[in-house]
Amino acid sequence: MQEFMIPLNSKSELPLYEQICEYIKTEIQQGHLKAEEKLPSSRTLAKSLSVSRSTVELSYDQLVSEGYLEAIPCKGYYVCNIQGLYTFSKKLGDEKRISKKEEDKARSDYDFALNGIDAQGFPYNIWQKLSRRVLKEADSSLFQLGNPCGEQGFRQAVADYLYQARGVHCNLEQILIGAGNDYLLMLLGTILDRSKTIIMEDPTYLTAYYDFLHMGFQVETIEQDNNGLSVRELEKTGGEIVYVMPSHQFPMGTVMPLSRRMELLSWAGEKEGRYIIEDDYDSEFRYKGKPIPALKGFDNHDCVIYMGTFSKSLAPSIRVSYMVLPVRLMKQYQEQKHLFSVTVSKVDQKILELFLQEGYYQRHLNKMRGIYKGKHDFLLKYLREEMSQICQVSGEYAGVHLLLTFCNGLTEQEAVIRAKAAGILVYGLSEYCVYGNPNTSCKVLLGYACMREEELSQAVKTLKKVWEKK
Amino acid sequence: MQEFMIPLNSKSELPLYEQICEYIKTEIQQGHLKAEEKLPSSRTLAKSLSVSRSTVELSYDQLVSEGYLEAIPCKGYYVCNIQGLYTFSKKLGDEKRISKKEEDKARSDYDFALNGIDAQGFPYNIWQKLSRRVLKEADSSLFQLGNPCGEQGFRQAVADYLYQARGVHCNLEQILIGAGNDYLLMLLGTILDRSKTIIMEDPTYLTAYYDFLHMGFQVETIEQDNNGLSVRELEKTGGEIVYVMPSHQFPMGTVMPLSRRMELLSWAGEKEGRYIIEDDYDSEFRYKGKPIPALKGFDNHDCVIYMGTFSKSLAPSIRVSYMVLPVRLMKQYQEQKHLFSVTVSKVDQKILELFLQEGYYQRHLNKMRGIYKGKHDFLLKYLREEMSQICQVSGEYAGVHLLLTFCNGLTEQEAVIRAKAAGILVYGLSEYCVYGNPNTSCKVLLGYACMREEELSQAVKTLKKVWEKK
């Protein structure tokens, strides 16, 4: 048994028991204390260090729990063999998965990413100004827990915006604020009957698909045609809840025409308990035709659950989305005891409220529409000039991505691989299919939000070269 | 049929169809257009207004959907009787519930609120400074979607903090960042087996109780003794997942001693699949004895799910919490396809990272500990001086609330009502019981975080008066 001379510092931020722990641990790690060696009793060590016995006991307990010591009843504490000791040095799966993607991105010259925004367009100055103002004017209430549905002022601003921009008539009390659509879907999952099947299009926004699965819902997918989700197919499923993106279906880019919207709404109105979840994720950006109001704008049976977000229009990292619930669903939600606390900070809610109310959002949207329309037109022109023999463009009427369908026999996989080899990331449609539909196997997606015009033209030139040769 | 002279403004932000809608709606609301009156055909109106027919059709569709018009096939559009028309003027349940509470709060002179913080203590200046710095140094990546688990830098800062302050050894890759504990429990709900029963103490943190119920879990409650949750009772349930608050049980205020912690950990280690959810919500504030490391600090079987929050230590409206998962659970979480996006904005994550890393948090905690200890000591002294004949104090070793147990025969309900009548809000323990336990019916809770010392003394004086008389 070894004598310990542990240099304890009573003024250290590290508690005494931790200092003892650390010392012994280091001794073991460096091999000064060998496996199976016996440690002094807690009484002896406490005495020699002039600390209480419980301090030493706490250290020993800690070391036992970490696997450095073993306590043998009636005998004492012994050093363990630490060869097999569990350490946290292994990377876990996810971080690897993320870094794989990051690696791809870092290696590529151009990335037609689908979830990006034009970060240059972010209104830094206004945001900073409003942020300063909110913090400066902050009274203590800004730091108290707020309304679980979101602050009333912010929800009113969202309601006003939805009325003006999307033709949605709703009361602030139908609105729930949340940190992203995933979260809002989770909230929705606590209201909807989990025994019901969710009907989705295929291909679709897979994140929502998996959100529903994670929450324990059954999900069934159906086909879509050129006008979007087929209501006839929907009827065949017998399902009662359907998830759609009528403004710009992801990933197909279809804008659902008014007639189909009306057909879908009639379907929902026909039977009690039917709901349409309308994900209006990038409706702010349209390039052709007059704006079509959201489904929710025509929702006279009050059965549309409307979801909107600032992720596409402002920045995904802002983490603010909103959901307009039918009155009866909102009632149901609010009759639950103890509502989930809101997930967006009051500061952010207040900044966004001012941003909307004082006209900054409108101006920002106009600016971004201009930016994206510029990129959109530029990319389209280039694609038509350079690629008309190779592929056809679709889904280009709205949003910030479009689809290419190859007409020269190139497969999706080949197109993606050839592009990647040339330093360009494009995304195969089958990545967004629940079941790898063979019909969709010769399409790739190009998101153009993050790309500058010169990058677009360079990338298209290169893509032409690598996609041209058979 | 009436001729319409609708003043259309093509430069207005309101689309033409909306302007037509609004005009007709107003005409109907003001009685200029009467029920059953026929409207001009869309073709006629379009011609007279020099707009496209589809614009008028959109307006009519909208008015039909809102219940102002009725479309009679082959005949045309007729004005509806709008007497019974649904309007959104009714307040929904929740807003009422909230405003009832708000009303109580507004009417009272003193509020021993349990979910408050000392807002004066919030580090406005530092927060503003860091916020400016983060926004100023912002590169475009700050506004791109981040790591679904939380930014690595921030998670590392949390891991470092947990090691130093709570004795928790974990890798950043075991940490999930989320906007509040409710949200993190929802995430957890997607990993844990929903067929398993969650065991909780009674009384407990009811929000978590309802969170589990909303997610579809069975919840069973068991009794606790003076050392906290009874492991013997736990064993009897046959349950495998238990939710505890060992640092300062809410609402009982019990600090679980080391021996009981070890007992609980052994229980978890005995059988594969057992988990302890440790909610360490206000462990930052302790007034007696040496700090006991979190359960997670002794978790050699890797079965403790640790939850911590900045809600108590910084501000509830900041909406940032964190969860440390056992390695195998984190693996399971990350093997899910498409992780839920993070719910905290990157800006807030970065501010908090700097706040932790640059020592501000440590300083803030020391300051708040001082403030709360001052209030705690002051309140205790006053209670002992004034109230020793009326009630006994418990749960006072940690946190920012304590319990009073009446020994003069006063019931909980009476105590709460008398206090309220005198302008003071105190909270009956039965509000936090899943089943109104008769044993707990003579206890009230006082939260003192939001109260100033002079308020505490005034409130205690008044409470003495109203509680004294039988």
Side-chain angles (χ1 to χ4, degrees), chain B residues 195-362:
Chain B
S195 70
K196 292 202 174 165
T197 301
I198 312 281
I199 311 297
M200 295 182 83
E201 298 153 297
D202 190 12
T204 188
Y205 179 50
L206 280 189
T207 304
Y209 174 79
Y210 287 108
D211 286 349
F212 287 121
L213 289 186
H214 293 330
M215 291 186 285
F217 284 95
Q218 298 285 328
V219 185
E220 208 174 305
T221 62
I222 56 172
E223 283 182 27
Q224 46 198 318
D225 60 26
N226 291 334
N227 289 332
L229 174 125
S230 157
V231 178
R232 209 159 27 176
E233 293 294 318
L234 174 59
E235 269 165 354
K236 281 188 204 157
T237 66
E240 299 182 20
I241 304 169
V242 62
Y243 177 97
V244 284
M245 296 161 274
S247 301
H248 189 229
Q249 205 270 350
F250 187 87
M252 297 307 286
T254 318
V255 178
M256 191 186 279
L258 197 58
S259 55
R260 180 65 60 88
R261 292 179 193 224
M262 292 304 168
E263 211 185 322
L264 187 56
L265 285 167
S266 315
W267 167 85
E270 266 165 27
K271 222 170 133 185
E272 187 72 30
R274 284 184 177 172
Y275 289 107
I276 301 167
I277 304 171
E278 176 180 30
D279 183 353
D280 209 31
Y281 69 106
D282 71 355
S283 61
E284 291 81 5
F285 307 118
R286 303 189 63 264
Y287 312 113
K288 201 157 180 177
K290 292 218 172 139
I292 306 178
L295 272 181
K296 185 73 189 163
F298 301 111
D299 181 25
N300 52 343
H301 298 290
D302 201 29
C303 48
V304 175
I305 297 155
Y306 177 92
M307 307 188 68
T309 178
F310 293 100
S311 286
K312 286 281 167 186
S313 59
L314 212 44
S317 62
I318 292 292
R319 313 308 303 137
V320 185
S321 294
Y322 43 89
M323 177 159 72
V324 184
L325 287 180
V327 172
R328 58 206 155 124
L329 274 190
M330 190 52 138
K331 272 200 175 140
Q332 201 178 314
Y333 177 66
Q334 290 176 337
E335 276 159 18
Q336 296 183 341
K337 280 195 174 181
H338 290 261
L339 300 178
F340 294 97
S341 310
V342 71
T343 47
V344 180
S345 82
K346 264 194 189 172
V347 174
D348 283 352
Q349 291 189 60
K350 191 70 199 173
I351 293 174
L352 270 169
E353 181 188 329
L354 297 173
F355 196 77
L356 285 163
Q357 264 181 351
E358 302 188 357
Y360 295 115
Y361 190 51
Q362 200 55 53

Side-chain angles (χ1 to χ4, degrees), chain A residues 257-276:
Chain A
L258 197 58
S259 55
R260 180 64 60 88
R261 288 178 197 225
M262 291 305 165
E263 208 186 323
L264 187 56
L265 285 167
S266 311
W267 167 84
E270 267 163 28
K271 222 170 133 184
E272 187 71 29
R274 285 186 175 170
Y275 289 108
I276 301 168

Side-chain angles (χ1 to χ4, degrees), chain A residues 390 405-416 418-419 441-444 463 466-470:
Chain A
I390 300 170
T405 308
F406 289 93
C407 48
N408 68 345
L410 207 65
T411 64
E412 172 195 315
Q413 207 193 2
E414 224 177 318
V416 172
R418 285 192 192 177
S441 62
C442 49
K443 287 189 202 306
V444 300
L463 286 177
V466 298
W467 284 347
E468 197 161 46
K469 52 182 179 195
K470 293 282 290 178

